[in-house]
Amino acid sequence: MELINIFNAPICEFETIDSTNEYAKKFSKQNPKHGTIIISKNQTNGKGRFGNSWDSKNENGIYYSIILKMNSKNINYETLPLFVCIGITKLFEEYKTSPKIKWPNDILINEKKVCGILCESTKNSHGEFLIIGIGINLLQDENDFPPQIKHKATSLKQNTNIPIIKNNFINRLTQYLFEYYNLFLNKPFKEFIPYYENKSYILNKQISLTLNNENIFGVVCGFNEFGHLILNSKNKIISINSGEVSLKNAYKNSEHK
Ligand code: BTN
């Protein structure tokens, strides 16, 4: 099956590349069309959030970036990654799985990570571009994951009986991105909070959150209209706009033992 881009923009396909996000950032200097997709069978330097790497050797995974033009100064793009995450969650649901969202935009199935999203922006003389990098564990078997991530990674194939055709899945992914990008433009995130909270992996749980080398502990109370996390930390309600959430050690160090 052929890859189709519903954004009506090019699809740049590679066998191997360092990182589709890095390529997309460089490519932005050539003023690519809104919705241009960069996809590679593997990556030699896949990047994750907070300087982590993303295991990308296996061709059973999806390594995909889409370039979106940030045309309007009046739009706050802060919630777009959460819309994207909801769209991808819907796609996993098509395969009769029960995905959960680990704020802001990791997707887990049966407590293990199946999808990670890395959003980066870049500015040049043509304007500002948002690069949404998506890594999906699609067809891997358990032994396809390196030992250091085996305990926390899973693939869609490991969790569904429905046959997965890679290019078909990628086309559905682009369709969902198109749909949820348009929802982002036309509806406030507030309307999606009930769905987001319903799918949340961390709602009402004790977490620890690392931000700028600082650890914050607390219980997750919900998410607000900006997509921020609302945390009850030492009986103070705080909202947090970024950070790496962990459920490990959350009890050990919290006031809510
Ligand atoms: C994370 O969970 O930390 C985000 C992982 C994002 C990985 C994808 S794979 C395609 C794109 N290119 C990269 O180098 N990273 C993203």
Side-chain angles (χ1 to χ4, degrees):
M1 180 184 278
E2 199 199 336
L3 289 181
I4 298 162
N5 189 347
I6 190 179
F7 285 85
N8 201 15
I11 303 176
C12 311
E13 284 183 77
F14 293 90
E15 287 288 320
T16 302
I17 201 171
D18 57 343
S19 151
T20 55
N21 264 37
E22 282 307 306
Y23 185 91
K25 266 194 270 176
K26 285 184 216 132
F27 195 47
S28 296
K29 295 195 181 100
Q30 293 175 36
N31 199 17
K33 236 178 138 178
H34 176 79
T36 296
I37 294 167
I38 320 294
I39 189 159
S40 184
K41 287 207 173 126
N42 54 58
Q43 299 181 119
T44 53
N45 195 17
K47 300 185 316 165
R49 292 173 74 226
F50 303 106
N52 296 327
S53 61
W54 182 260
D55 181 66
S56 310
K57 283 183 272 304
N58 200 293
E59 298 198 355
N60 288 326
I62 291 176
Y63 314 104
Y64 176 111
S65 298
I66 188 159
I67 306 174
L68 301 176
K69 281 192 182 180
M70 298 202 269
N71 286 327
S72 168
K73 289 199 169 60
N74 302 323
I75 299 177
N76 178 357
Y77 285 87
E78 199 177 9
T79 59
L80 179 55
L82 287 89
F83 275 89
V84 164
C85 184
I86 293 176
I88 301 175
T89 302
K90 299 264 181 190
L91 174 53
F92 284 126
E93 285 176 343
E94 286 185 5
Y95 289 81
K96 306 271 177 264
T97 64
S98 302
K100 289 280 177 191
I101 300 170
K102 187 169 160 217
W103 180 86
N105 44 32
D106 281 354
I107 304 177
L108 314 184
I109 298 180
N110 288 325
E111 316 237 326
K112 291 181 171 188
K113 187 152 162 176
V114 69
C115 172
I117 300 170
L118 174 66
C119 293
E120 299 182 283
S121 64
T122 178
K123 215 177 183 170
N124 59 44
S125 56
H126 302 293
E128 211 169 337
F129 299 84
L130 185 68
I131 317 290
I132 301 183
I134 300 167
I136 294 177
N137 299 327
L138 193 75
L139 291 160
Q140 287 97 329
D141 294 315
E142 203 185 329
N143 289 333
D144 287 333
F145 295 112
Q148 64 275 21
I149 61 166
K150 221 179 223 179
H151 63 286
K152 55 179 183 180
T154 192
S155 71
L156 177 60
K157 183 183 152 193
Q158 286 174 275
N159 293 280
T160 187
N161 294 323
I162 298 177
I164 306 161
I165 299 160
K166 191 174 183 184
N167 279 3
N168 187 23
F169 184 94
I170 295 167
N171 286 339
R172 292 293 292 144
L173 172 65
T174 309
Q175 283 161 5
Y176 270 110
L177 294 177
F178 186 76
E179 182 183 341
Y180 276 79
Y181 177 70
N182 285 315
L183 286 171
F184 159 76
L185 292 179
N186 294 305
K187 286 183 186 273
F189 181 69
K190 210 175 170 177
E191 288 185 23
F192 296 85
I193 294 176
Y195 178 87
Y196 191 88
E197 289 191 344
N198 183 256
K199 293 285 155 197
S200 174
Y201 179 63
I202 60 172
L203 186 69
N204 299 324
K205 285 189 184 158
Q206 292 272 4
I207 63 154
S208 75
L209 188 130
T210 313
L211 183 62
N212 305 326
N213 292 326
E214 206 197 314
N215 281 326
I216 306 166
F217 301 94
V219 177
V220 177
C221 311
F223 306 91
N224 69 15
E225 69 266 40
F226 310 109
H228 298 173
L229 176 83
I230 316 284
L231 201 66
N232 180 343
S233 181
K234 299 178 187 160
N235 289 327
K236 248 177 52 198
I237 303 295
I238 51 173
S239 85
I240 293 159
N241 65 355
S242 168
E244 195 169 14
V245 169
S246 170
L247 276 88
K248 261 195 256 153
N249 302 326
Y251 281 93
K252 231 180 5 198
N253 300 293
S254 88
E255 301 271 299
H256 306 266
K257 283 178 194 163

